Amino acid sequence: MDALKAFFDKFKESFDDMDSKKRTTVGGGAGALVLLVIFLSMSGGNGGDVEYLPLYTDIDLKEAGELAGQLREMNQDFKVGGDGSIVMVPEGDRLMLRNALAAEGFPKTGFIGYEVFDEVPLGMTEFLQEIKHQQALEGELKRTILLLDQIEDVRLHVVLPKPSLFTDQEKPATASIMLNLRQNMRLSNPQIQGIQRLVASSVEGLDPNHITVVDNLGNMLSEEMDPLARMTSKQLEIQRDVEAYLESRTQDILNRVLGPDQAFVRVSAELDFDQRQEEINTFDPDNRVTRSEQRNEESSAEAGTKENTVSNFEINSSIKRITGSVGRLKRVSAALMINDQKPVIGLEPGEFRTEARTQEDVDYISEIVRGAIGYDDGRNDLLTVSTFAFATQDLKRAAAKELQDEETKELIMTVVWQVAKAIAIVVALLILRAIIGAIGRGVAREEEIAMEAQRELEEDDAGEELPETPHEIILGRIAQLISDRPEDAAKLIRTMLIEETQRNRGGAA
């Protein structure tokens, strides 16, 4: 307690020495801490906010009313959302209620899957079977899509054209999906493509490119179905990614070398998406190979035998087929803006002063940027460097704010450290008190066990004693008499002594 009192006295002295600004900061921090403690205690007492999840969705209003009445009879909390067709219950009770309500026959409407065929009425026509099959297929797909955490509700329509006898007259199957996303959630492009492929794999003859996905605001989520438009969009996306990568890498180097807000770079990349196939035939006339040889002999009386030889040669050749890469970096253009005034390093905190940047510094920074973007003269790359004075008001304000933040941080750390020490002292005292109490309880228990053992031992010894003799019985009665009636015992002893004295005198006479 003395240490805690000394801490509060020291904190009071420090608080009195502060100026009004620091007092306001400390007071605001203490108030925020108190509010935080109150908020946490209230939150802990209330058990936190209960998250409600849909029990059933897309049911008609009549069944929603029946379901609400059933939940009231079960004394179950629930909410009704949407247009009255969505019943929501606490997250922890959702699965239990589904099992309990399934025994009552719920849901009767809403997402109906293949359970529609559990009871097939007699006389169902082929047309009704096809309609129910499509309804069941759409319901099953909705249930599967709703398993995604980002999706709150979904509407799905599948169009299955009638088969045709002629191939050129057949129409492809199509589908449309409208997603109602949860608040502050969105789907990535791979997830949207995954939904398209999921639906396409579940419907015979359905191509993922024939599935349109929109959100509840009407925004198109799926990509364009036109191959040319899709290719163009993909090329622009790749180009933006390359430019963003080069800018991020270069800007990071500039910030590390010069400091923040001293230089900026913007990159424009030109990519070549043309796919080329090149074939090169090389012939080597010096390296010939005999392909065939033909010999003829002619005999005559005048000339005798004459031999003619005809040789056919094959010239050695090599063929190379080269396929050019798609998305090759064709040209890079970059714009570099440098502040012609650089801040002086080594000043006191909160002090700000600048000096002129030399041309040597500008050339050095330009070389850094050329290396970062992979500058190549062979591609006719372009780097434009500009130097001018940046606005210094923000830098001065940043320096002043940095000093203020540093002081505030130091003050907060001091207060937190002192509070932590006080809490540590209180916790140590509580632990010490608990240890002392445990030791005291242990000693008392040991004494109690020792006394019980002594009593048991005495009882065992008493049980083993031999029967008392008449002499011992008389002595015991005399001791009991002395204990119960001490005055009478004293009179009796006095009388016995007097009689013994008189007896001794009479014998002597």
Side-chain angles (χ1 to χ4, degrees):
M1 297 301 292
D2 294 337
L4 188 61
K5 182 179 180 182
F7 165 72
F8 283 113
D9 292 339
K10 184 177 179 181
F11 179 75
K12 184 176 182 301
E13 293 177 0
S14 301
F15 187 78
D16 294 337
D17 295 337
M18 297 178 185
D19 54 13
S20 59
K21 191 173 184 179
K22 291 184 178 180
R23 289 183 181 181
T24 304
T25 303
V26 174
L33 182 61
V34 172
L35 291 176
L36 179 61
V37 173
I38 295 174
F39 173 75
L40 292 177
S41 62
M42 293 178 64
S43 299
N46 295 334
D49 296 335
V50 179
E51 182 178 2
Y52 283 77
L53 294 179
L55 179 63
Y56 298 115
T57 60
D58 198 24
I59 57 178
D60 58 25
L61 298 179
K62 181 179 179 181
E63 184 178 7
E66 295 177 359
L67 186 59
Q70 184 70 24
L71 292 176
R72 289 192 188 95
E73 293 179 1
M74 299 171 63
N75 294 326
Q76 176 64 46
D77 295 334
F78 68 93
K79 293 181 180 179
V80 179
D83 57 352
S85 61
I86 300 177
V87 179
M88 296 182 294
V89 296
E91 181 181 7
D93 303 335
R94 186 172 177 232
L95 296 179
M96 182 269 294
L97 289 174
R98 279 192 171 183
N99 292 332
L101 293 172
E104 303 294 332
F106 290 99
K108 302 174 184 177
T109 59
F111 293 161
I112 301 177
Y114 287 113
E115 64 270 11
V116 71
F117 294 106
D118 291 344
E119 297 180 3
V120 180
L122 296 176
M124 179 182 291
T125 63
E126 183 179 357
F127 175 75
L128 290 178
Q129 289 182 355
E130 292 178 357
I131 294 298
K132 286 188 174 293
H133 177 266
Q134 184 171 346
Q135 184 182 12
L137 178 61
E138 293 177 354
E140 293 292 338
L141 289 174
K142 290 177 183 178
R143 290 175 178 174
T144 305
I145 296 174
L146 280 176
L147 294 177
L148 296 177
D149 296 334
Q150 297 90 336
I151 299 176
E152 182 176 359
D153 195 10
V154 59
R155 297 280 297 175
L156 186 144
H157 304 282
V158 178
V159 178
L160 299 175
K162 295 181 179 180
S164 176
L165 297 176
F166 303 98
T167 307
D168 55 350
Q169 295 182 358
E170 287 186 353
K171 296 181 180 180
T174 58
S176 61
I177 305 173
M178 188 179 73
L179 303 176
N180 187 7
L181 302 180
R182 297 185 186 275
Q183 189 175 5
N184 299 328
M185 288 192 177
R186 61 188 300 266
L187 293 173
S188 61
N189 289 332
Q191 288 177 315
I192 296 172
Q193 294 175 4
I195 294 175
Q196 289 179 290
R197 294 186 179 275
L198 172 68
V199 176
S201 300
S202 303
V203 180
E204 183 180 0
L206 181 58
D207 189 272
N209 297 328
H210 294 158
I211 301 176
T212 303
V213 183
V214 298
D215 61 6
N216 57 323
L217 300 178
N219 299 319
M220 178 74 72
L221 301 181
S222 56
E223 296 181 353
E224 291 286 344
M225 291 187 293
D226 186 5
L228 183 59
R230 181 178 297 181
M231 183 182 301
T232 303
S233 176
K234 190 66 175 179
Q235 291 175 359
L236 291 175
E237 182 180 354
I238 294 174
Q239 181 176 345
R240 286 194 296 266
D241 291 343
V242 172
E243 293 173 351
Y245 169 72
L246 293 176
E247 286 181 4
S248 175
R249 185 175 66 174
T250 308
Q251 190 65 49
D252 182 64
I253 296 175
L254 293 175
N255 292 339
R256 291 176 180 270
V257 175
L258 306 178
D261 301 332
Q262 290 297 312
F264 298 96
V265 63
R266 293 296 180 265
V267 179
S268 175
E270 183 179 352
L271 303 180
D272 185 7
F273 294 98
D274 296 336
Q275 187 173 5
R276 295 184 179 87
Q277 291 184 354
E278 185 178 359
E279 183 174 336
I280 301 175
N281 295 332
T282 304
F283 298 93
D284 187 6
D286 296 332
N287 189 4
R288 298 182 300 174
V289 179
T290 302
R291 183 176 183 181
S292 62
E293 187 176 32
Q294 185 178 2
R295 294 180 181 181
N296 296 325
E297 292 184 357
E298 295 181 0
S299 301
S300 63
E302 295 82 3
T305 303
K306 185 180 180 181
E307 182 178 348
N308 296 324
T309 303
V310 178
S311 299
N312 296 322
F313 297 94
E314 184 74 26
I315 299 176
N316 188 20
S317 64
S318 60
I319 301 176
K320 294 182 180 179
R321 293 182 176 88
I322 302 174
T323 302
S325 60
V326 179
R328 180 177 60 88
L329 191 60
K330 187 177 181 180
R331 190 169 182 263
V332 176
S333 300
L336 175 62
M337 295 157 284
I338 306 174
N339 187 6
D340 61 359
Q341 298 291 322
K342 62 180 180 181
V344 179
I345 302 175
L347 300 178
E348 296 294 330
E351 185 178 358
F352 179 77
R353 193 169 65 251
T354 61
E355 61 182 7
R357 195 183 301 275
T358 62
Q359 185 61 36
E360 184 180 357
D361 293 341
V362 175
D363 296 338
Y364 175 69
I365 297 171
S366 301
E367 289 298 324
I368 292 177
V369 173
R370 284 189 177 91
I373 65 176
Y375 186 90
D376 187 2
D377 291 329
R379 293 193 307 239
N380 295 324
D381 291 348
L382 177 63
L383 175 62
T384 304
V385 182
S386 303
T387 58
F388 49 88
F390 286 8
T392 58
Q393 291 82 359
D394 294 338
L395 298 177
K396 292 180 180 179
R397 284 195 294 267
K401 187 176 184 302
E402 182 181 359
L403 178 60
Q404 181 181 357
D405 294 342
E406 189 69 25
E407 294 178 353
T408 304
K409 182 179 179 181
E410 183 178 358
L411 178 61
I412 292 174
M413 290 301 297
T414 302
V415 173
V416 170
W417 175 247
Q418 297 297 335
V419 172
K421 288 198 297 185
I423 294 175
I425 292 173
V426 173
V427 172
L429 292 175
L430 294 176
I431 294 175
L432 182 61
R433 179 181 177 183
I435 293 175
I436 293 175
I439 293 174
R441 289 192 297 271
V443 172
R445 180 59 181 167
E446 291 180 357
E447 292 179 355
E448 183 180 354
I449 294 174
M451 293 178 64
E452 291 179 358
Q454 183 66 24
R455 285 197 298 269
E456 292 178 357
L457 186 61
E458 291 176 356
E459 291 176 358
D460 294 340
D461 293 341
E464 295 178 358
E465 291 179 356
L466 297 175
E468 293 181 344
T469 59
H471 180 67
E472 291 176 348
I473 294 174
I474 294 174
L475 291 178
R477 291 180 178 177
I478 294 174
Q480 184 68 28
L481 177 63
I482 295 173
S483 176
D484 296 340
R485 302 166 61 184
E487 296 179 357
D488 295 340
K491 292 180 181 180
L492 178 61
I493 294 173
R494 190 182 306 112
T495 303
M496 292 176 62
L497 291 175
I498 293 173
E499 291 179 355
E500 182 67 24
T501 303
Q502 293 178 356
R503 190 181 300 111
N504 291 335
R505 289 177 181 178

